[in-house]
Amino acid sequence: MSEPLLTIRNLRASVDDKEVLKGIDLSVAAGEVAAIMGPNGSGKSTLSNVLAGRDGYEVTDGEVRYDGQDLLAMEPEERAATGVFMAFQYPVEIPGVVNATFTRTALNAQRKARDESAIDAIDFLKRARATLARLEMDEDFLRRDVNAGFSGGEKKRNEIFQMAMLEPRLAILDETDSGLDIDALRIVATGVNAMRNPERALVVITHYQRLLEYVVPDSVHVLADGRIARSGDRELALELERTGYAAFQPA
Amino acid sequence: MTDAWLAGQRTAFAACRDTLPGSGTPWVDALRAEAFRQFEEDGPPTARIEEWRSGPTAALTGQVFAPAAPDGARAAAVPAPYLEGPRHRLVFVDGRFSRGHSDAGEPPKGVRLTTLGALLAENPQATRDLIGDPDAFSEERLSRVTDRRPQALVALNTALASDGAVLLIEDDVALAHPLEVVHVTRKTEEPRAHHLRTLIALGAGARAHVVEIHAGGSAGVWTNHVTDIAVGAGARLEHVRADAGSATAVHVNVAHARLRASAAYAGFVLAATNGAVRAETRLALEEPGADGEVNGVCLAKGTGHIDALTRLDHHAREGTSRQLWRGIFADTARGAFQGRIRVLPDASGTNAALDNRNLLLNAGARAESKPELEILTDDVACSHASATGELDTDALFYLRSRGLSEQLARALLMEAFTGAVADRIAHEGVREFIRRLVDERLHALGSATS
Ligand SMILES: Nc1ncnc2c1ncn2[C@@H]1O[C@H](COP(=O)(O)OP(=O)(O)OP(=O)(O)O)[C@@H](O)[C@H]1O
Ligand SMILES: [Mg+2]
């Protein structure tokens, strides 16, 4: 078997001298959908942020290989250009920056980094409109400032829109289902499923079985107290729904 | 230094008073002499004067600037027109009108577009009548309208003004295309001063867009530019001032506008420097229903220093005013914004808002924001907000996580921060020009620091 797209080995990371990730081991193959579940504060967002390259986290041990590269040695924008995407648990509002401009600038910055030609405004608009239509989002989204004044659900959908436009090879979705109404959840799930393909890996962080009914995972991992405490298939998610995390809490 | 500086100005005045426009005309000579006396009495600006507490006094009085002598022999690099589309263009090189570089076009009937020098040379007596109120030149007149505190540099400007644009518009006439006034300053080895005077008077119901741009320059150049503005009843003036030239010069820019009933003045200032800039805007909303807007973007890097000052006096009822200022300071630059709104006893129903925010890009940069409200009547709505912070690290990471380089991400956030100010410019062509210029200047700021 070839090397998995993402391999995390014994990853330890601290925030403000507090160890949050205490030796994570996880690999995700191309084509795989991996779900990560776990109690509040167990380190799920910290793991996503470390993978995306956010400042303020000190990696004290371990390594992360992505597509044969040392992911942790790369700047956030380099990670993005090689195909890493994180949908934020709390997308950031950026007043004054128009969503369309931002998304096209991002797309072209990534293309430039990969020595690909820029997408012109007209082609971009065509693609953006088609993507919005698929996600049942109003075209108005393009004209609005990035996430500014968006409802919680709209912000999450905007993340999915960006993912669909940027076509990453590794997408980490940090609680993209939280705050969505039932219809929005179905639409987002459809958007996520449309991204599934043999070249792409998806890491779906969620608290709820509901999303996983739509986006059926190949593997499920429980992150508790900074470690992967258990791994299994979709049955594990159903079991957690019944039993909760009591068994994984530190004594 | 102050004594030497004053002595330098005395020598300068003695040397050039006979060559200045209007010289030999008794009322002009008397006005200049009186203004110089006033300047001597007030003395050069020091930090002891409240309004100059955060001003670039050291940059100003640290070297003795002599007025630039006319020197047609040296070629000047005059930039191509800044505004796209139809425009009227007046170019001044080292403080004197340059006919060859100008293109006044054909202003409509009822519009007098000329220069201070030409006006005084053609017919000084008529000029006096045209200006109507020669006291409008004088420091005393300015002081009476706004503020009793010394404005020595305005007085010095009155004494030494070498030229400037003059735009006079009759009642109900609109200047459809914007007026672009460019002040080009040549590089200099010796410290040189340029005293420029712009006059704008709009009759009742008149309309105009005026853009004053400073270009060229170098360290050792001091420009002292005063723009006197009168906006007639129901008239509307959009007045944009922008630094497009050398960022190392010392630049003092004062606009003073008097607004009649329901007149509107919409001002925009772009100060961009790593030298020193003092940008003053003084509005007197003299009659009911006047509307004043004063917005600005201040960008400084290196050891740059920008001191922006606004004084909005609401004299009469139902006046409205808005101020939106954004500053970005890099390296060890410093910025100060002093914004005062005065609502006088007769100005009930006033609505005034002021909003100033600053970004510091480096630990060594500083910004000071000093809004002052002086309210002498009830029934007013005044608001002010000010804040100083750094670029939002969450937003930076969000942008970078989508593939934007750090430099691009910073530039985008800075554009967003300043964009709202430029967006308020009403004339589309002027707005586009200013957006481009701001972006260009932001780029210089970004590459200095990231
Ligand atoms: N910037 C930070 N400063 C201080 N503590 C932090 C910071 N980021 C994370 N932590 C701490 O690290 C721990 C893990 O947080 P993290 O956000 O990764 O949890 P999570 O598993 O995503 O939780 P949730 O399910 O609530 O989203 C928490 O105790 C949190 O308080
Ligand atoms: Mg989280």
Side-chain angles (χ1 to χ4, degrees):
Chain A
M1 209 181 108
S2 65
E3 193 189 346
L5 186 62
L6 177 72
T7 309
I8 304 172
R9 278 194 210 99
N10 189 34
L11 180 64
R12 290 174 172 269
S14 313
V15 183
D16 292 344
D17 289 331
K18 174 188 158 192
E19 186 164 64
V20 179
L21 303 183
K22 303 175 180 174
I24 301 263
D25 287 287
L26 180 71
S27 40
V28 185
E32 181 177 345
V33 173
I36 297 181
M37 306 182 80
N40 293 135
S42 59
K44 302 181 298 296
S45 294
T46 302
L47 175 62
S48 315
N49 283 320
V50 168
L51 294 179
R54 190 178 208 132
D55 274 348
Y57 299 88
E58 196 198 345
V59 173
T60 54
D61 202 1
E63 65 164 351
V64 178
R65 312 273 314 162
Y66 163 80
D67 193 26
Q69 308 166 79
D70 176 3
L71 190 67
L72 299 180
M74 298 158 81
E75 295 293 334
E77 56 268 34
E78 294 173 318
R79 301 182 197 202
T82 73
V84 177
F85 177 92
M86 172 176 77
F88 286 54
Q89 181 173 0
Y90 303 107
V92 183
E93 300 198 8
I94 313 185
V97 176
V98 176
N99 219 6
T101 314
F102 160 59
T103 311
R104 187 158 79 93
T105 307
L107 188 58
N108 282 336
Q110 292 196 16
R111 292 179 67 91
K112 190 173 168 201
R114 297 191 295 257
D115 283 327
E116 295 167 11
S117 63
I119 296 221
D120 69 32
I122 295 167
D123 286 345
F124 171 80
L125 206 59
K126 263 191 223 154
R127 262 189 62 191
R129 286 198 173 125
T131 306
L132 286 172
R134 265 201 292 122
L135 296 171
E136 299 182 33
M137 288 165 73
D138 200 286
E139 271 186 30
D140 203 38
F141 271 97
L142 288 176
R143 283 185 292 273
R144 291 170 68 180
D145 289 353
V146 179
N147 297 325
F150 285 24
S151 75
E154 286 171 341
K155 286 180 185 167
K156 297 302 181 76
R157 283 211 240 180
N158 199 25
E159 297 290 285
I160 297 299
F161 166 70
Q162 289 169 29
M163 174 178 75
M165 291 300 292
L166 296 171
E167 302 181 305
R169 291 178 59 209
L170 170 66
I172 303 154
L173 309 184
D174 190 357
E175 291 197 32
T176 302
D177 54 340
S178 304
L180 293 180
D181 66 38
I182 297 164
D183 293 335
L185 180 71
R186 182 183 46 74
I187 294 161
V188 162
T190 311
V192 173
N193 278 330
M195 298 291 291
R196 290 182 87 148
N197 78 27
E199 263 84 64
R200 183 174 287 141
L202 300 174
V203 176
V204 178
I205 296 169
T206 182
H207 284 294
Y208 307 106
Q209 163 62 24
R210 217 176 47 201
L211 175 72
L212 303 180
E213 281 166 16
Y214 294 107
V215 181
V216 179
D218 299 300
S219 60
V220 175
H221 309 271
V222 179
L223 204 169
D225 194 26
R227 292 184 189 86
I228 300 293
R230 220 173 122 187
S231 297
D233 59 15
R234 63 180 305 206
E235 291 303 316
L236 177 55
L238 294 167
E239 183 188 325
L240 290 169
E241 187 100 322
R242 287 192 304 274
T243 62
Y245 295 114
F248 303 102
Q249 300 288 18
Chain B
M1 191 67 207
T2 300
D3 287 344
W5 197 83
L6 265 174
Q9 299 309 319
R10 270 186 211 112
T11 312
F13 184 54
C16 71
R17 60 188 300 176
D18 295 335
T19 64
L20 292 168
S23 141
T25 305
W27 72 267
V28 178
D29 288 343
L31 181 64
R32 291 201 190 264
E34 168 57 18
F36 196 82
R37 192 201 58 72
Q38 176 96 50
F39 160 74
E40 285 185 294
E41 191 182 307
D42 293 344
T46 71
R48 281 192 301 278
I49 299 167
E50 176 59 21
E51 284 196 345
W52 277 90
R53 211 173 43 79
S54 49
T57 48
L60 259 172
T61 54
Q63 45 190 335
V64 179
F65 299 92
D71 177 5
R74 288 196 303 141
V78 173
Y82 290 97
L83 298 178
E84 288 170 7
R87 78 195 105 66
H88 309 276
R89 188 179 202 227
L90 297 184
V91 176
F92 296 81
V93 175
D94 284 355
R96 281 171 177 85
F97 182 56
S98 170
R99 188 171 306 278
H101 292 108
S102 298
D103 175 12
E106 285 184 18
K109 194 172 168 295
V111 174
R112 184 91 204 262
L113 178 56
T114 179
T115 66
L116 190 59
L119 211 56
L120 287 166
E122 276 163 23
N123 192 337
Q125 206 50 46
T127 305
R128 186 178 198 177
D129 298 339
L130 197 63
I131 292 168
D133 177 10
D135 277 353
F137 279 109
S138 82
E139 162 60 13
E140 203 189 331
R141 177 76 176 120
L142 293 176
S143 302
R144 193 162 56 227
V145 173
T146 52
D147 202 317
R148 279 235 145 260
R149 278 171 283 193
Q151 291 187 53
L153 298 184
V154 175
L156 186 64
N157 180 286
T158 301
L160 289 168
S162 59
D163 211 344
V166 175
L167 175 66
L168 307 164
I169 306 187
E170 290 173 13
D171 291 358
D172 299 316
V173 173
L175 185 65
H177 305 310
L179 166 62
E180 170 177 317
V181 181
V182 184
H183 290 284
V184 185
T185 312
R186 290 183 286 194
K187 283 201 171 62
T188 176
E189 305 294 316
E190 307 274 285
R192 285 278 175 264
H194 303 277
H195 300 275
L196 311 156
R197 191 71 165 233
T198 303
L199 294 178
I200 301 171
L202 269 58
R207 296 261 180 288
H209 304 270
V210 178
V211 183
E212 300 193 84
I213 300 163
H214 283 268
S218 65
V221 167
W222 170 34
T223 48
N224 181 29
H225 186 169
V226 176
T227 302
D228 280 331
I229 297 164
V231 191
R236 183 185 163 83
L237 174 70
E238 177 156 68
H239 180 220
V240 170
R241 291 174 279 162
D243 288 338
S246 160
T248 53
V250 179
H251 186 39
V252 175
N253 198 319
V254 179
H256 180 275
R258 296 158 54 194
L259 278 63
R260 306 290 290 272
S262 302
Y265 170 89
F268 173 90
V269 175
L270 169 62
T273 193
N274 41 24
V277 173
R278 158 87 165 187
E280 297 183 10
T281 310
R282 297 169 186 272
L283 300 191
L285 287 72
E286 293 180 338
E287 293 181 355
D291 179 62
E293 175 153 0
V294 185
N295 304 325
V297 171
C298 301
L299 309 174
K301 63 174 182 174
T303 54
H305 181 173
I306 297 178
D307 184 35
L309 174 139
T310 65
R311 292 282 180 267
L312 270 62
D313 288 1
H314 286 261
H315 292 270
R317 64 192 157 75
E318 311 296 334
T320 48
S321 67
R322 293 165 307 290
Q323 301 184 63
L324 183 66
W325 287 78
R326 295 288 179 263
I328 307 182
F329 304 96
D331 306 324
T332 58
R334 58 180 290 219
F337 174 81
Q338 315 175 55
R340 195 186 62 177
I341 301 166
R342 243 171 113 205
V343 182
L344 291 137
D346 290 338
S348 60
T350 290
N351 190 321
L354 186 166
D355 177 345
N356 168 231
R357 282 200 276 145
N358 297 305
L359 276 182
L360 305 179
L361 298 186
N362 300 85
R366 278 183 298 151
E368 190 187 347
S369 183
K370 212 177 70 171
E372 285 172 58
L373 302 182
E374 192 182 329
I375 298 175
L376 307 173
T377 182
D378 298 331
D379 180 29
V380 296
C382 288
S383 68
H384 67 86
S386 70
T388 296
E390 294 164 17
L391 274 178
D392 181 353
T393 51
D394 289 338
L396 264 180
F397 174 63
Y398 190 77
L399 296 172
R400 293 180 71 192
S401 80
R402 297 297 182 251
L404 277 68
S405 68
E406 184 172 5
Q407 192 173 332
L408 194 55
R410 292 171 72 99
L412 204 61
L413 291 180
M414 290 193 274
E415 267 175 58
F417 185 70
T418 55
V421 188
D423 279 350
R424 295 213 180 172
I425 295 172
H427 188 282
E428 192 185 344
V430 176
R431 186 171 64 240
E432 288 308 311
F433 156 61
I434 289 295
R435 287 208 75 131
R436 279 199 305 278
L437 190 59
V438 170
D439 287 355
E440 213 173 274
R441 295 269 148 157
L442 280 177
H443 195 80
L445 208 63
S447 57
T449 53
S450 68

